[in-house]
Amino acid sequence: SLAALSGFGKKSAENILKGLEELKQNLGKVRINVATQVGERLLGFLAELPEVERASPVGRLRCGSEEFDRISLLAATSDPKRVIAAITATELLDACTEIDDGVEGTSPELLKVMIHLCTPELYPVRLHRLTGAHDHCFMVGIPLADRGYVIGDDGLFRDGAPVHVESEEELYALAGM
């Protein structure tokens, strides 16, 4: 019906329909600048909590992807219950719910946010596992296994005993990478 109006033609109507379809496809997604702002705001909040030893973006935000429908953060803490209580009490996220290893909510920009929590000792391994693609994590696990290590979401082990690493760099060094 737009094409029949004065000043509009068939091409204008097609362009408008194409734009509406593109808008529908991108509904609920934000660009990296918005995702980064949300992440930095939440990381600043986490840094102020005395129970949080360190925190970082993980997943697509850490990798610098361009478009997001959600972001994930990781925080190291020895007191996850207090951190969860602090997150759910803040107005930085709406509709907070507790998940297996942290909190999930929605930012005012309508971006879904997952804040994963782990012990300080597990932080480098969780940083690696929550950021790397499944295939990448699998491929890092091969040289680790060749050297007698087993890596999973629950940590790094050798002969059944937990192995503590201080950083991802140390983890990659153990893998000979």
Side-chain angles (χ1 to χ4, degrees):
S1 62
L2 274 177
L5 296 174
S6 176
F8 288 96
K10 183 178 179 184
K11 185 162 174 101
S12 294
E14 287 173 1
N15 285 338
I16 291 170
L17 286 173
K18 183 179 173 186
L20 288 171
E21 187 59 37
E22 191 174 306
L23 183 64
K24 277 188 210 176
Q25 289 176 352
N26 292 319
L27 198 59
K29 294 181 183 176
V30 299
R31 303 291 290 163
I32 190 170
N33 61 317
V34 174
T36 300
Q37 290 170 357
V38 172
E40 287 175 352
R41 187 169 59 235
L42 289 165
L43 287 170
F45 170 78
L46 291 170
E48 292 178 8
L49 297 176
E51 300 85 7
V52 173
E53 291 188 23
R54 53 185 173 167
S56 175
V58 292
R60 298 183 72 227
L61 185 58
R62 185 168 179 228
C63 292
S65 296
E66 290 293 319
E67 200 171 64
F68 300 83
D69 60 358
R70 69 178 52 238
I71 63 168
S72 297
L73 307 173
L74 175 65
T77 180
S78 296
D79 194 349
K81 292 202 180 296
R82 287 187 77 160
V83 174
I84 289 170
I87 294 168
T88 56
T90 185
E91 294 183 7
L92 292 173
L93 293 177
D94 295 326
C96 282
T97 56
E98 196 169 332
I99 56 175
D100 286 342
D101 66 344
V103 174
E104 184 176 62
T106 305
S107 76
E109 297 83 359
L110 302 179
L111 183 63
K112 291 181 194 267
V113 176
M114 294 179 76
I115 301 176
H116 301 275
L117 304 175
C118 68
T119 63
E121 297 78 24
L122 193 55
Y123 186 82
V125 172
R126 292 294 290 155
L127 192 62
H128 165 72
R129 303 282 293 177
L130 289 169
T131 297
H134 176 72
D135 291 347
H136 174 76
C137 291
F138 176 77
M139 294 306 289
V140 171
I142 292 172
L144 284 169
D146 290 345
R147 290 167 172 80
Y149 297 95
V150 175
I151 188 169
D153 289 340
D154 56 345
L156 179 66
F157 300 89
R158 186 168 198 178
D159 299 325
V163 176
H164 177 68
V165 291
E166 291 292 326
S167 66
E168 273 185 305
E169 291 80 10
E170 188 178 340
L171 177 67
Y172 280 102
L174 287 176
M177 303 172 97

